[in-house]
Amino acid sequence: MSARRIFTRPARLAAIAPYVWMALFFLVPFAFVVKISLSQAAIAQPPYMPVVMLADGWRGLVAAFGALSLDNFRLLASDDLYLLAGLRSLTVAATATALLLLIGYPVAYAMARLPRRWQPVAMTLVIVPFWTSFLIRVYAWINILQHDGLLNKILLALHVVSAPVVWLATDRAMYLGLVYSYLPFMILPLYATLARLDPALLEAAGDLGSSPRQAFWLVTVPLSLPGIGAGVLLCFIPIVGEFVIPDLLAGSDSMMVGQALWLEFFTNRDWPVASATAVLLLAILLLPLLVYDRFQRRQMRRS
Amino acid sequence: MTAAPLARVSRFNIAALALGLAFLYLPIVILVIYSFNASQLVTVWGGWSLRWYVEFFNDRAMLNATFMSLRVAAVSATLATVLGTLAAVALTRGEGFRGRTLFSGMLYAPLVMPEVITGLSLLLLFVALGAERGFWTVTVAHTTLTMCFVTVIVQSRLGALDRGLEEAAMDLGCDPLRAFLSVTLPLIAPAIAAGWMLAFTLSLDDLVIASFTTGPGATTLPIRIYSEVRLGVKPEINAICSLIVGSIAILIVAASMASKLSSGRGGNAAPM
């Protein structure tokens, strides 16, 4: 007990360096995003106005604040593009997350039912693709889905289709890419809760007269809700802001918020509007992020 | 555990698992096979050949981007491992301290935060600080992202550790630092190694954050690959991707062998 308390102080000191680092490089930058989202675009380096100069003192600060404006947000609200991008991000993320749950659950369930010594092997096999490059995995699908790619060749050879099907640059391809890339994030938390499930509970349900199917829906699914919640959040939040997968696999007729931000920043070089888009994206994600934070904290307390 | 767990596995379970794994692995296997394709056309099979690998090793720009990525990954993974391990120690051993909620929030949020937001906000910070964009800005950005993953991995190992061992060391006269270095650190070493490797591969992989925070002369491999991929599939890219997949596979095998060795000496296997 006393030894434990002695250890606490140096352990707290260990927080200093990572604390300062994360505050400086994660928290403070958000303040800049908000500030610049309220600034005007300018043809300058950096390409926005006003820039607050500490050397100008208090008067400069007041003047700078006076020059801040909500114009960028008015633009976002008036232009359909951003509203549609926001809606599309939410629907794409919801659909992809539902697909992930539908595909991930049976896999995680099967993993949890494997003999004990096979479970770590299955887990490693699910994790390994997560270690290989994200970009490479999307690129691998471009290879397969292109006009004269492997998929069309197989379908033609099997006479399933008579002419090559357009796969690339469609929403189908984007959903495939999303499900493929995020599957480990769904499977692992599901597996973690399903593996902890006490099989005696299912036996008890059976003894009390429920069929295996009933036992699954009445016992297994409710008890795996924490895993479902974790998996859904781990997939939904990043997918809302996804850029690479829709950019490379979906068509160019509609955009997600992440693509709109990228376009404003890299193509239009309009940093203030890009920042305003980032604020919009954060606003969309605020609620799921808060839920995620509570989830993490509860999990930490349990461990 | 009840007897005969194998009986619990139904045919449906096996099918789900097999299909799931096939879905995860087939595209990568196809990519690797096609990287050995002799044909100029990516979709026509022209026999086995190493020509695209030769092409890659003659491509100056690609090689420079590769070296830049490897340097960024090595430096940022090392920084992230030190910071992430410290954070994990503070979270698991520091009990409640002021600002702990904010601290853990800052460490968990980047795990799900869309990369476009992290990238843009870091860029705006670097511009405001007047930092010259290049190797160091990308490295700092990657450290910020990957240290959170290191924290999670090391934290789960520390949480599972028997604290009686540290307490025993201190009862026997070790000061806390000594107890940590000679008792705790060797026990969490596999998790720290796994954390470093994950940080390294995440950095090597990142396109979005690097695109925002990089500057002239600091093009990383994913940025280079991305600009090529936008123009269409090229056999040389297949070769580069296969090389990356191969090196990561070797790293993982080496890591699992190392963790087996260390678990043979009494510790447990790494959590990842």
Side-chain angles (χ1 to χ4, degrees), chain A residues 116-192:
Chain A
R116 284 276 138 165
R117 65 202 169 90
W118 287 105
Q119 289 190 13
V121 179
M123 201 168 100
T124 312
L125 284 173
V126 171
I127 291 172
V128 166
F130 171 73
W131 290 68
T132 68
S133 167
F134 189 68
L135 189 59
I136 291 177
R137 282 180 288 150
V138 176
Y139 174 71
W141 276 109
I142 298 181
N143 258 320
I144 296 169
L145 296 177
Q146 59 188 319
H147 185 72
D148 42 5
L150 206 59
L151 181 62
N152 271 336
K153 275 191 189 152
I154 291 172
L155 290 179
L156 285 171
L158 293 175
H159 298 288
V160 179
V161 294
S162 51
V165 180
V166 179
W167 297 106
L168 268 187
T170 63
D171 278 5
R172 271 185 306 217
M174 176 186 63
Y175 282 117
L176 187 70
L178 286 171
V179 168
Y180 184 64
S181 303
Y182 283 90
L183 197 56
F185 292 93
M186 183 59 89
I187 291 179
L188 290 176
L190 284 174
Y191 164 73

Side-chain angles (χ1 to χ4, degrees), chain A residues 79-113:
Chain A
D79 195 335
D80 266 359
L81 179 83
Y82 300 95
L83 188 70
L84 290 176
L87 283 176
R88 179 168 161 85
S89 285
L90 286 174
T91 43
V92 166
T95 315
T97 307
L99 287 171
L100 279 159
L101 188 59
L102 223 58
I103 295 167
Y105 203 99
V107 179
Y109 187 69
M111 280 169 66
R113 299 196 116 200

Side-chain angles (χ1 to χ4, degrees), chain A residues 204-218:
Chain A
D207 290 345
L208 293 171
S210 45
S211 67
R213 180 170 301 200
Q214 277 175 320
F216 173 78
W217 287 109
L218 294 174

Side-chain angles (χ1 to χ4, degrees), chain B residues 70-254:
Chain B
L70 288 174
R71 270 170 56 209
V72 169
V75 176
S76 71
T78 307
L79 280 170
T81 305
V82 174
L83 289 165
T85 305
L86 286 172
V89 169
L91 283 175
T92 48
R93 299 291 189 262
E95 312 290 339
F97 54 89
R98 206 181 303 159
R100 190 182 194 281
T101 312
L102 176 67
F103 187 49
S104 65
M106 284 194 300
L107 286 166
Y108 290 137
L111 300 178
V112 292
M113 188 61 73
E115 288 179 321
V116 284
I117 296 183
T118 315
L120 177 68
S121 61
L122 272 165
L123 167 83
L124 295 179
L125 174 80
F126 291 141
V127 169
L129 292 176
E132 195 189 330
R133 276 177 278 156
F135 172 79
W136 280 109
T137 47
V138 180
T139 304
V140 166
H142 282 180
T143 305
T144 309
L145 175 73
T146 56
M147 68 173 274
C148 305
F149 287 87
V150 176
T151 306
V152 171
I153 294 180
V154 176
Q155 191 188 359
S156 74
R157 183 84 185 101
L158 270 172
L161 214 62
D162 184 2
R163 296 189 59 173
L165 294 170
E166 289 156 8
E167 285 161 23
M170 282 187 275
D171 287 341
L172 292 171
C174 282
D175 58 74
L177 186 67
R178 181 83 196 279
F180 178 78
L181 290 179
S182 54
V183 176
T184 319
L185 203 56
L187 287 172
I188 60 170
I192 294 178
W196 187 89
M197 273 179 39
L198 184 60
F200 185 86
T201 54
L202 284 171
S203 164
L204 208 59
D205 180 26
D206 167 70
L207 165 71
V208 175
I209 293 176
S211 297
F212 277 101
T213 52
T214 192
T219 305
T220 63
L221 190 58
I223 296 177
R224 183 91 206 136
I225 292 178
Y226 175 71
S227 63
E228 296 276 348
V229 168
R230 295 216 63 175
L231 302 174
V233 174
K234 266 177 68 181
E236 191 197 339
I237 304 286
N238 286 4
I240 300 165
C241 293
S242 304
L243 282 175
I244 297 175
V245 170
S247 352
I248 290 171
I250 291 170
L251 260 174
I252 293 173
V253 170

Side-chain angles (χ1 to χ4, degrees), chain A residues 19-37 48 275 278-279 282, chain B residues 106 110 113 116-129 140-141 144 213:
Chain A
Y19 211 125
V20 171
W21 183 286
M22 288 313 284
L24 180 60
F25 293 117
F26 186 71
L27 210 56
V28 172
F30 285 123
F32 283 97
V33 175
V34 173
K35 196 202 106 188
I36 292 176
S37 73
Y48 54 82
S275 302
V279 174
L282 262 182
Chain B
M106 284 194 300
M113 188 61 73
V116 284
I117 296 183
T118 315
L120 177 68
S121 61
L122 272 165
L123 167 83
L124 295 179
L125 174 80
F126 291 141
V127 169
L129 292 176
V140 166
T144 309
T213 52

